[in-house]
Amino acid sequence: MKPVKVISFGEILLRLSPEWNNHSAALYVGGAEANVAAALARWGTPVAYISKAPDNGIATQVLEQLESLGVATDRMLKGGDRIGIYYLEQGTDLKNAGVVYDRKYSSFSQLEPGTVDWGSLLGDAEWFHWSALTPALNENTAVICKEILEAASRKGLKISTDLNYRSKLWQYGKQPFAVMPELVQYCDVVMGNIWASHQMLDTALNTVALETATKETYLAEAASVAKEITEKFPRCKQVAFTFRFSNAFTHNLYYATWYEGGELKVSKQYETNEVVDRVGSGDSFMAGLIHGQVSGMDAQQTISFAAAAAWSKLFLKGDFNLTDKADILKLI
């Protein structure tokens, strides 16, 4: 296996963005954890991606897309019949009700517990990343998350997760807060937002105070929720939250926070009315956090880079962030 610093694990997906007037659809390779891997590779962090895909021509071409960006795919699992698909209007947010998933019976969703030697696949990597999208698929993928997290912990990897919530997933009879805490106990870094944390980890949320909708209130809540996470999950020492607000199709106001050692660091605030594609912005943020940490950035540098990385993705079509590191640094 090719030696890497970071391993990202999750379901590989294809995205179709229909353009009905032209009787066509833009096709992109995606999936949250693949997006993280693609951005890390772009910025020079040695990274491998682990998923499961069928042994067919389309899957081969998908992996070639990742390899061309510098993502190692030699740890990929092969088997099953199909790659999952999702349909999304160009420029729409994944949290929007417009997303339609076609992921049932995908190769990844059919993974069986107890069938993979995760320790061997993890090799000598330093960092393991996963997201809440995997345990959202079905009970087996939730069990598999625990298997691989235990293996990563035994090998001493630093572990990060993204608390991304998709209401159209989580359809197998369990709520996120019944599944996620058991998995988050293995994490050193937790990324998400204060609302997802409340939904997935049952952390407190001062809804009365938040009605003021001021930045001061949001930042105070970010510090409070992050502190609660580090107390509930002693292994977790770093918590990052994003704040994204949109009042029109192409509008976005954005800033982010990093909590560590009782201190809250805040990124620059960005605002635009020229959003091109919202998909992958959160994944770019997560990749920015990982890149910052593995390359030796301090807390303020890490959150500044991650926020700028997320911001840069809003102006690129597709799921992957292909912005050069030098251009991201200019945004800070």
Side-chain angles (χ1 to χ4, degrees):
M1 292 185 302
K2 187 176 175 183
V4 294
K5 280 189 175 181
V6 180
I7 290 174
S8 189
F9 169 75
E11 181 168 21
I12 187 75
L13 293 170
L14 292 173
R15 167 181 157 202
L16 284 169
S17 287
E19 296 173 6
W20 300 110
N21 292 338
N22 301 326
H23 305 289
S24 64
L27 175 66
Y28 303 103
V29 178
E33 303 82 8
N35 297 344
V36 170
L40 286 170
R42 181 71 172 184
W43 305 327
T45 298
V47 59
Y49 176 58
I50 299 178
S51 187
K52 186 175 183 181
D55 190 5
N56 62 29
I58 289 289
T60 300
Q61 291 172 321
V62 165
L63 297 186
E64 284 172 356
Q65 292 279 311
L66 289 163
E67 287 281 353
S68 70
L69 298 174
V71 178
T73 62
D74 53 354
R75 302 168 203 238
M76 282 285 293
L77 304 170
K78 296 289 180 69
D81 298 322
R82 63 183 299 251
I83 293 175
I85 296 170
Y86 73 97
Y87 299 84
L88 188 76
E89 183 182 356
Q90 182 67 41
T92 309
D93 197 305
L94 272 171
K95 293 183 180 67
N96 185 287
V99 65
V100 175
Y101 290 115
D102 180 14
R103 298 168 68 165
K104 281 189 178 178
Y105 313 112
S106 67
S107 295
F108 185 85
S109 71
Q110 301 291 290
L111 273 170
E112 293 282 343
T115 60
V116 179
D117 180 356
W118 298 114
S120 295
L121 275 188
L122 293 173
D124 295 322
E126 300 171 15
W127 191 298
F128 176 75
H129 175 67
W130 63 288
S131 89
L133 296 174
T134 298
L137 293 177
N138 56 56
E139 288 204 66
N140 277 350
T141 53
V143 172
I144 285 162
C145 273
K146 189 168 185 186
E147 286 182 354
I148 197 167
L149 289 169
E150 286 177 342
S153 295
R154 284 194 298 270
K155 294 178 77 75
L157 276 72
K158 191 164 184 177
I159 298 173
S160 61
T161 192
D162 181 348
L163 302 176
N164 34 19
Y165 175 68
R166 303 285 180 265
S167 60
K168 291 192 176 181
L169 301 178
W170 295 104
Q171 297 296 317
Y172 61 95
K174 285 193 177 178
Q175 291 299 313
F177 57 78
V179 177
M180 286 298 293
E182 186 182 5
L183 302 176
V184 170
Q185 67 176 325
Y186 296 97
C187 295
D188 302 280
V189 181
V190 170
M191 173 249 162
N193 62 57
I194 56 175
W195 299 275
S197 177
H198 176 64
Q199 212 151 16
M200 296 199 157
L201 305 179
D202 202 25
T203 48
L205 199 61
N206 190 341
T207 51
V208 175
L210 288 172
E211 284 175 8
T212 63
T214 64
K215 186 172 181 179
E216 184 182 28
T217 305
Y218 289 132
L219 294 181
E221 197 65 11
S224 175
V225 176
K227 181 173 183 283
E228 185 181 346
I229 288 174
T230 59
E231 289 169 352
K232 273 190 171 184
F233 306 98
R235 179 166 167 171
C236 178
K237 300 291 190 285
Q238 299 162 322
V239 179
F241 288 141
T242 59
F243 291 89
R244 292 191 284 177
F245 305 100
S246 177
N247 59 26
F249 193 72
T250 58
H251 172 260
N252 206 284
L253 186 149
Y254 186 95
Y255 54 91
T257 62
W258 175 267
Y259 180 89
E260 182 178 358
E263 278 190 65
L264 191 75
K265 302 292 185 183
V266 185
S267 78
K268 176 178 169 181
Q269 178 172 301
Y270 299 89
E271 188 167 14
T272 185
N273 285 297
E274 297 174 0
V275 172
V276 172
D277 196 334
R278 299 178 190 277
V279 175
S281 174
D283 306 322
S284 298
F285 179 79
M286 187 72 242
L289 295 180
I290 297 171
H291 178 75
Q293 289 293 286
V294 299
S295 59
M297 294 183 191
D298 64 24
Q300 186 62 58
Q301 290 169 328
T302 296
I303 193 61
S304 296
F305 182 81
W311 184 249
S312 70
K313 174 61 192 70
L314 294 174
F315 307 99
L316 295 173
K317 279 191 176 184
D319 290 36
F320 294 162
N321 189 349
L322 304 179
T323 309
D324 287 332
K325 182 176 177 178
D327 291 328
I328 292 170
L329 292 171
K330 286 177 192 171
L331 289 170
I332 301 172

